Amino acid sequence: MDRVCFVCTGNICRSPMAESVFRAHVERAGLHALVEVDSAGTGGWHEGDGADPRTISVLEAAGYTQDHRARQFHPSWFSRLDLVIALDAGHLRDLRALAPTARDAAKVRLLRSYDPAATAGPYDVPDPYYGPIGGFEDCLDLIEAAGPGLLDAVREAMKEHTA
């Protein structure tokens, strides 16, 4: 079983959106029994809350489902995760600093690094929280663009695990 966790700041906007989108990619690929997908935040401010209503609205309008409760990422999770996907450079830095080992730090990647169109960066998915709904729609576009590349990377990792 490969395990992927998406991480943003509060776990109510970007990371639950990425979790829903990537879970849909995994299910369409027939890998739902082999790949576990979840999300968390670098902070615990919204722990136990559902996703932001704008996140839910944008996901539902695009045909994605979600059933989300925010939680905070804990360093002990690194041992059970294969990939920790940061939504921006600040999350990447914070997560790598939390990693107990260099091997764990190497599991942390930026989501947009899997988007072939994002060749020169920046690789951040901007935080839509303080803006209008259009920011959430833009966020979804960036997340969707990275999904196929991330799925290919997970498939490749799965081959390496079984080889």
Side-chain angles (χ1 to χ4, degrees):
M1 168 81 62
D2 272 40
R3 293 173 180 89
V4 179
C5 183
F6 294 92
V7 182
C8 69
T9 305
N11 193 218
I12 60 170
C13 296
R14 294 172 284 178
S15 58
M17 191 179 286
E19 175 187 354
S20 293
V21 169
F22 192 64
R23 182 174 288 120
H25 280 287
V26 167
E27 289 172 4
R28 281 193 299 268
L31 300 173
H32 57 279
L34 301 171
V35 180
E36 181 181 300
V37 182
D38 61 17
S39 65
T42 56
W45 309 278
H46 299 285
E47 208 157 16
D49 294 346
D52 184 288
R54 297 166 293 178
T55 297
I56 295 168
S57 173
V58 167
L59 284 170
E60 288 178 350
Y64 296 104
T65 60
Q66 63 83 42
D67 180 23
H68 177 74
R69 290 287 161 227
R71 61 197 187 130
Q72 183 174 1
F73 188 89
H74 295 280
S76 63
W77 297 359
F78 275 106
S79 63
R80 67 176 180 83
L81 294 170
D82 297 291
L83 278 174
V84 180
I85 305 297
L87 277 288
D88 71 28
H91 306 132
L92 179 80
R93 181 187 61 247
D94 293 347
L95 288 162
R96 286 187 173 161
L98 284 174
T101 68
R103 182 174 181 214
D104 290 328
K107 296 176 183 180
V108 183
R109 308 279 173 76
L110 278 168
L111 176 63
R112 293 209 55 229
S113 68
Y114 295 98
D115 178 356
T119 56
Y123 292 114
D124 290 355
V125 174
D127 188 352
Y129 186 76
Y130 294 104
I133 192 80
F136 288 79
E137 293 163 345
D138 294 344
C139 185
L140 179 61
D141 290 344
L142 294 173
I143 290 167
E144 286 180 325
L150 177 56
L151 185 62
D152 288 346
V154 168
R155 281 186 174 131
E156 193 60 36
M158 291 169 62
K159 288 179 191 174
E160 291 172 13
H161 296 313
T162 59

